[in-house]
Amino acid sequence: MSSLLALTLAASLAAAPPPVLTLQDALTQARKENLDLKAAQARLRQADTASRKAWSGYLPTITVGGAIIRNSNAAVIPPGPLGPEPVVIQPLIQRTFQAEARQAIIAPQLWAGIQAAYKSERVAELTVEQARREILFGVAQAYYGAAAQAQAVTVQERLVDLNGARAKDTKVRFDAGTVTRVALLRAEQDLSRAEQDLIRARNALASAKLVLATLLNVDSGDFEVAPPPEPQVPVQTETEVLVQRSLEQRADVAAARETTELARINKRGVWFSYLPTLGVTATYRLANAAGFQGSNDIWLITFGANWTIWDGGLREANLTEASAKIVEAQANSRKAELTAKEEVQRSQLDLQSALANRLKAEQTVELARESQRLTDVSFKAGVATYLEVADANTALTNAEIGLVAERLQASVAALRLLRSVGAFEARPLDSDLKKEDVTPPTVQPLPGATEEKPLQPATQEQPAQPEQQPAPQQ
């Protein structure tokens, strides 16, 4: 009985359907497990130590040390004019201890270094935030591609079923002598071609799932993808409004601006190197030899100033280099703004083209369905031939696959527009970007939207299945 129960459970587990993955599931998994994102977050934690390193040069430094020395000879002044007791100048075994504390009082170059460290941390935050957005956009793009390929597989499976039924019916009629061998060969060729297309579609789906699984850091692509949501974006929004939103919300543009400010701070630090520095040092020493002081311990406080008058032209060279870096950062900042503007404008054009192509693809599908229906009626009436029926079914299948592709292009174009504006998986730039557990809305409303619409699963129109056609009477 136990063996039978084990076999039953094993069969049930084997027959269990694979899990269904939604877009939100994929994004959530990517936020937690994507390896590129983990590496970027680790780089941010490394960069976050810059300010502490910079402060270490200004905060107090305390050191202690000790030594035991075996001298070759001891130096002792016997009792006499200096005192009734012998004075040990150098014992045979000398033991010493020293504690020292240093504190910078005036260090202008360190002030600029601390400010630059905080600015570099800010640049790292924005850079990682931009990388995070790009990674999650890649996950969404891969998800849409896998979902579109799954729909293409469904279309191909329907075509295989249709051609299989037609080939079987044609074989029966050929055996009965009511159709020619040419009709049988054509039906078998159509079935073979459809099976080959189905294999290619399934392999493409498996490949797309493997890409998505790699991005999600899962072992295999044994899952199904749910119908993807359709991004809601206002198509008629003014380009200048979107460009302004992009310049305000894109992390790469903000990082380029902060880099320019960082270059200015570094140049200020070079100027500060011309100023003097002032520091204080406190020292405490303890030894087993009292010496002439008659005390085993001693302490002292030292105020020291340092002013480099000439360093061989190093500071002048650093000033020239810092000025060139400012010019470079300004050019990169301007380039980032122009790139953002160009991406917004191009994304708008791509979205308009994709929506127009999707509309034409929908119209093509409707025409192909009507043509297939009329061909079916004509065939039953004995007017249309088998070749016309096969061509109508092929045209309908191609139109359905084309519609799937155009829907994918429209969705990806909408995502690209959201990404170019800084509205896809975007955390506010004025928030604490170091927190890894903050999850922003997948899509933020764009200017011009009549109402805020969350991503909803798109209604996937299922193409009508053509009726099974009998074998032609030839």
Side-chain angles (χ1 to χ4, degrees):
M1 180 63 67
S2 59
S3 300
L4 180 60
L5 180 59
L7 291 175
T8 304
L9 291 175
S12 301
L13 293 175
V20 178
L21 185 71
T22 65
L23 177 61
Q24 291 299 330
D25 294 338
L27 293 175
T28 301
Q29 176 72 10
R31 294 187 197 104
K32 297 178 180 178
E33 300 297 336
N34 181 271
L35 298 179
D36 292 330
L37 186 55
K38 285 185 176 182
Q41 291 169 346
R43 290 194 299 270
L44 178 58
R45 289 191 291 270
Q46 296 172 35
D48 196 32
T49 62
S51 59
R52 286 183 288 170
K53 292 178 180 179
W55 271 107
S56 66
Y58 196 78
L59 296 176
T61 302
I62 301 175
T63 59
V64 296
I68 299 177
I69 303 173
R70 172 60 165 85
N71 294 308
S72 59
N73 297 296
V76 180
I77 300 177
L82 296 180
E85 298 293 334
V87 178
V88 180
I89 303 300
Q90 176 178 288
L92 188 63
I93 303 297
Q94 185 176 353
R95 294 183 293 272
T96 62
F97 171 80
Q98 177 175 307
E100 185 177 81
R102 295 176 179 270
Q103 171 64 57
I105 299 177
I106 299 177
Q109 196 169 7
L110 285 178
W111 300 341
I114 292 172
Q115 188 179 7
Y118 281 115
K119 188 62 66 175
S120 66
E121 289 180 1
R122 179 59 179 169
V123 172
E125 289 179 23
L126 294 171
T127 302
V128 171
E129 172 64 16
Q130 180 64 22
R132 175 187 170 279
R133 296 180 184 183
E134 294 294 333
I135 290 170
L136 295 180
F137 171 76
V139 171
Q141 192 172 17
Y143 181 91
Y144 275 89
Q149 193 58 46
Q151 297 173 27
V153 169
T154 301
V155 174
Q156 291 294 344
E157 289 175 344
R158 190 161 47 248
L159 181 62
V160 168
D161 293 339
L162 178 64
N163 288 339
R166 183 181 297 116
K168 185 182 298 184
D169 183 70
T170 303
K171 181 65 168 59
V172 172
R173 292 178 177 271
F174 174 75
D175 293 339
T178 58
V179 297
T180 63
R181 183 170 180 80
V182 174
L184 176 61
L185 292 177
R186 178 58 187 269
E188 291 177 348
Q189 289 175 358
D190 291 341
L191 176 59
S192 177
R193 187 181 304 110
E195 290 174 343
Q196 291 175 356
D197 293 339
L198 177 58
I199 292 174
R200 281 193 290 266
R202 286 176 174 172
N203 289 338
L205 175 59
S207 177
K209 287 182 178 180
L210 287 176
V211 172
L212 184 58
T214 302
L215 292 174
L216 301 183
N217 193 19
V218 296
D219 294 334
S220 67
D222 187 17
F223 53 82
E224 300 294 337
V225 289
E230 184 174 350
Q232 302 292 335
V233 295
V235 183
Q236 302 300 328
T237 304
E238 292 292 336
T239 302
E240 292 302 323
V241 176
L242 295 179
V243 169
Q244 184 61 32
R245 169 68 180 269
S246 174
L247 297 179
E248 294 173 354
Q249 298 298 328
R250 283 183 57 142
D252 56 340
V253 175
R257 292 171 181 166
E258 295 291 344
T259 302
T260 302
E261 183 61 26
L262 175 61
R264 293 192 179 99
I265 295 173
N266 288 332
K267 183 177 180 179
R268 192 180 309 135
V270 178
W271 280 113
F272 284 170
S273 66
Y274 283 91
L275 301 177
T277 60
L278 176 64
V280 60
T281 302
T283 306
Y284 175 78
R285 296 191 184 98
L286 179 64
N288 62 338
F292 291 104
Q293 302 179 32
S295 175
N296 294 90
D297 60 343
I298 185 176
W299 63 270
L300 61 129
I301 297 177
T302 305
F303 288 90
N306 184 29
W307 193 358
T308 302
I309 304 300
W310 174 249
D311 59 357
L314 177 62
R315 288 174 294 192
E316 287 72 19
N318 289 337
L319 277 176
T320 303
E321 181 184 13
S323 299
K325 287 184 176 180
I326 291 177
V327 175
E328 178 187 4
Q330 290 174 337
N332 290 334
S333 178
R334 179 57 179 164
K335 180 181 177 182
E337 293 176 355
L338 292 178
T339 300
K341 181 178 180 180
E342 180 265 336
E343 288 183 359
V344 170
Q345 294 174 340
R346 181 160 45 86
S347 298
Q348 271 195 307
L349 295 175
D350 292 344
L351 178 59
Q352 293 172 4
S353 300
L355 293 177
N357 292 338
R358 187 181 67 179
L359 179 60
K360 289 298 181 182
E362 291 172 350
Q363 295 174 353
T364 301
V365 169
E366 292 299 325
L367 294 175
R369 287 176 182 168
E370 181 64 15
S371 176
Q372 191 277 334
R373 186 187 66 82
L374 294 177
T375 304
D376 180 24
V377 173
S378 299
F379 179 80
K380 291 180 178 179
V383 178
T385 64
Y386 173 81
L387 294 180
E388 292 174 332
V389 173
D391 291 341
N393 289 331
T394 302
L396 178 57
T397 301
N398 293 335
E400 291 173 350
I401 295 177
L403 178 57
V404 169
E406 294 303 335
R407 280 175 174 166
L408 170 64
Q409 293 300 325
S411 296
V412 173
L415 289 179
R416 286 199 183 100
L417 178 59
L418 292 169
R419 163 183 164 273
S420 66
V421 178
F424 180 80
E425 281 291 331
R427 295 183 292 182
L429 298 183
D430 56 354
S431 64
D432 188 0
L433 300 179
K434 298 177 183 178
K435 295 182 178 179
E436 301 176 2
D437 56 347
V438 176
T439 303
T442 302
V443 173
Q444 297 178 359
L446 295 182
T450 56
E451 59 177 324
E452 186 174 340
K453 297 181 179 180
L455 283 176
Q456 298 293 337
T459 303
Q460 301 296 335
E461 182 181 357
Q462 296 296 335
Q465 181 174 345
E467 297 181 6
Q468 178 178 337
Q469 303 297 331
Q473 302 288 340
Q474 294 187 4

